[in-house]
Amino acid sequence: MTTIRDVAREAGVSVATVSRIINNKGEASPETIARVEQVIKRLNYKPNLLAKSLSKRTSDLIGLLVPTLNNPFFPELVKEIETAANAEGYNIFLCNSDDQRSKVKYYLDSMVDHYVSGAIINSLHVNADDLAMLEARGIRTITIDRANFEHAYSAVTVDHQLGAWKAANHLICDSGCSNIVFLSGPKDEKSSSDRFAGFRKAVEHAPHPVNTSIVYGDFSMESGYHEIKRYIESGKTFDSIVSSNDAMAIGAIHACNEFHIRMPEQVKIVGYDNISSGSFITPTLTTVDQKKSEIGKIAVQELIRLIQDKNGQSKQYNLEPDLIIRNSSATK
């Protein structure tokens, strides 16, 4: 691999001169600059970006901590954030914690070691001390949605109570459903409890009596499949499902198909997230759109504002989700 020393030797100049020319610093004659640039091109030399970061104590990297890449929502969110960051001249340092505190700690330390300019955090296992540590080291932060605590730093949240209310209200008022299963995420997760609160509010204000049941998954397709399969095998009847995310809703659809339950004729299903695959399954999935693209743009733009203005005040953004009606809950 070509090094800066190779370039300097071929061009007949010092390493310091090559470094100054690469970084547009210091004086050099036009002839020297042209000769060095020709050698760089001929040798296909690529500057060591990590070394530049170490010398400058900063970089064009934005740390992005996500809880998992198994849930389709998060790879799609990562893509939106990466697109927004690249458009502003930043690259993403992706950190997948697998929802493990040990990995969260490792990646937070790695962000410091790699001199990221800012950090976008989406994790249940990050606490206020973690954010304070990053900020104290000059790494501005913004959390997305999953933080289970209040903090003074920038944040982008989604009104999950409203989203779940829209999902349940659609089934109750538009379709007349009266026996609904709420397929929840983990009990101890704030987004799960927020979505259940919105669901419960819709039920409490329903124009007709509504029977409800709740089963708990872990946001994976497998858990949605197994929980609804067990529910069907128990002999309990239901006419609809509100799922806390699309992955579990897709699993629920597979379970219903396995038992030859027709959708939407016998059971109507609404998911949550608006992942791309929801438009390509049968039936296509009614869902609540969290607005991934908007989340990505806001998170990146807010973080860049904070990076550029070290004394900039934090801001909180709360987005209103939309209901997208497709065939899984269609009415005649």
Side-chain angles (χ1 to χ4, degrees), residues 1 25 42 51 61 67 93 110 145 152 177 196 203 208 236 266 273 295 305 307 313:
M1 183 174 66
K25 292 181 179 180
R42 176 163 54 82
L61 289 177
F93 175 48
S110 293
D145 203 37
C177 295
F196 182 64
V203 171
H208 57 262
K236 297 175 183 177
Q266 293 174 284
D273 281 343
I295 289 174
R305 180 185 71 81
I307 291 169
Q313 295 299 306

Side-chain angles (χ1 to χ4, degrees), residues 145 156-161 272 290 295 317-321:
D145 203 37
V156 182
T157 58
V158 178
D159 190 341
H160 293 307
Q161 288 196 31
Y272 201 111
Q290 287 200 59
I295 289 174
Y317 302 82
N318 188 252
L319 304 183
E320 179 177 325

Side-chain angles (χ1 to χ4, degrees), residues 224-296:
Y225 167 77
H226 289 298
E227 292 304 323
I228 295 304
K229 180 180 179 180
R230 275 194 286 267
Y231 196 86
I232 294 170
E233 290 174 337
S234 72
K236 297 175 183 177
T237 60
F238 59 101
D239 59 17
S240 52
I241 298 171
V242 173
S243 176
S244 288
N245 78 338
D246 284 351
M248 290 194 299
I250 291 172
I253 287 174
H254 284 305
C256 289
N257 281 329
E258 194 171 284
F259 286 87
H260 307 290
I261 295 173
R262 299 191 310 278
M263 298 161 286
E265 294 84 358
Q266 293 174 284
V267 169
K268 301 182 187 299
I269 299 180
V270 180
Y272 201 111
D273 281 343
N274 193 28
I275 61 175
S276 58
S277 56
S279 298
F280 298 96
I281 61 171
T282 302
T284 54
L285 181 62
T286 295
T287 188
V288 176
D289 182 13
Q290 287 200 59
K291 301 182 178 178
K292 296 184 294 291
S293 179
E294 192 170 344
I295 289 174

Side-chain angles (χ1 to χ4, degrees), residues 57-59 61-64 93 107-121 129-143 153-154 302-304 306-310 314:
R57 296 296 190 268
T58 187
S59 71
L61 289 177
I62 289 176
L64 173 57
F93 175 48
Y107 280 124
L108 293 179
D109 290 341
S110 293
M111 289 183 191
V112 174
D113 292 341
H114 284 80
Y115 296 101
V116 301
S117 295
I120 299 173
I121 305 293
D129 289 342
D130 294 325
L131 299 182
M133 179 275 290
L134 293 174
E135 293 276 347
R137 285 162 173 75
I139 299 173
R140 302 309 302 268
T141 63
I142 183 167
T143 61
Y153 307 109
S154 289
E302 170 64 8
L303 193 59
I304 291 175
L306 294 171
I307 291 169
Q308 294 175 347
D309 181 6
K310 294 297 183 181
S314 300

Side-chain angles (χ1 to χ4, degrees), residues 79-90:
K79 183 178 179 180
E80 295 291 349
I81 292 173
E82 182 180 43
T83 298
N86 291 166
E88 298 293 339
Y90 286 83

Side-chain angles (χ1 to χ4, degrees), residues 168-187:
N169 190 67
H170 162 62
L171 292 174
I172 294 167
C173 295
D174 297 343
S175 302
C177 295
S178 59
N179 199 345
I180 308 177
V181 176
F182 184 77
L183 181 51
S184 175
K187 290 182 181 180

